[in-house]
């Protein structure tokens, strides 16, 4: 078993790998987050507890899979930066994280603004959606 696979197995919680744990592994091993996501996928391990609140919090069939909710009123500065960071196919997780960090928002708050603005989150750094290695 290689070091990446071992690191993933050590961080499992109820058979799943939390998004934050996946990023911690990537940082510690000096690999791209996508490599961690790919290794988890190969091992049939699901990523949970998305840091944007989009998935991994409970059963999807019961509507409990995500915790993010649309922000009631998106501050104009935040909305402008998110719109500027969006691409034709939506906005990436990485872009949301960057805007949140730049403006001093929590990632879940920026995600809440994205929900309110009806922007589509187009790519995950771990490859959770879409899976770039599959297509």
């Amino acid at each position: 078993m290689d070091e990446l696979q071992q690191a993933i197995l050590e961080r499992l919680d109820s058979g799943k790998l939390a998004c934050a744990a996946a990023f911690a592994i990537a940082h510690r091993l000096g690999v791209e987050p996508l490599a961690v996501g790919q290794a988890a996928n190969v091992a049939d391990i699901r990523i949970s507890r998305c840091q944007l609140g989009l998935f991994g919090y409970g059963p999807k069939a019961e509507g409990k899979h995500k915790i993010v909710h649309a922000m009631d009123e998106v501050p104009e500065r935040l909305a402008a930066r998110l719109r500027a960071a969006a691409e034709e196919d939506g906005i990436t997780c990485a872009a949301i994280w960057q805007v949140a960090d730049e403006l001093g928002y929590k990632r879940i708050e920026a995600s809440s603004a994205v929900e309110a603005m009806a922007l589509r989150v187009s790519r995950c750094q771990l490859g959770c959606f879409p899976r770039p290695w599959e297509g």
Side-chain angles (χ1 to χ4, degrees), residues 4 60 70 78 81 92-93 101 123 125:
L4 178 54
K60 188 171 187 171
L78 177 57
R81 284 291 293 117
T92 66
C93 290
D101 292 347
R123 288 184 302 284
Q125 294 143 292

Side-chain angles (χ1 to χ4, degrees), residues 59-110:
K60 188 171 187 171
E62 297 174 18
K64 297 179 182 178
H65 61 290
K66 68 182 196 172
I67 60 170
V68 67
H69 300 285
M71 189 178 274
D72 290 334
E73 189 173 324
V74 181
E76 185 49 44
R77 184 170 178 227
L78 177 57
R81 284 291 293 117
L82 290 169
R83 275 193 296 277
E87 301 170 1
E88 187 175 301
D89 65 341
I91 187 166
T92 66
C93 290
I96 297 168
W97 286 26
Q98 183 177 358
V99 169
D101 292 347
E102 286 174 6
L103 298 182
Y105 286 91
K106 294 177 184 172
R107 291 173 179 163
I108 192 81
E109 291 173 323

Side-chain angles (χ1 to χ4, degrees), residues 11-86:
R11 296 296 302 265
L12 294 182
D13 182 15
S14 300
K16 296 179 182 176
L17 181 65
C19 175
F23 275 88
I25 290 168
H27 179 75
R28 182 170 60 89
L29 298 181
V31 300
E32 292 295 319
L34 183 58
V36 178
Q38 289 172 328
N41 186 60
V42 167
D44 202 27
I45 295 169
R46 297 186 65 83
I47 304 294
S48 67
R49 303 184 61 78
C50 164
Q51 293 182 68
L52 295 179
L54 299 174
F55 63 86
Y57 290 89
K60 188 171 187 171
E62 297 174 18
K64 297 179 182 178
H65 61 290
K66 68 182 196 172
I67 60 170
V68 67
H69 300 285
M71 189 178 274
D72 290 334
E73 189 173 324
V74 181
E76 185 49 44
R77 184 170 178 227
L78 177 57
R81 284 291 293 117
L82 290 169
R83 275 193 296 277

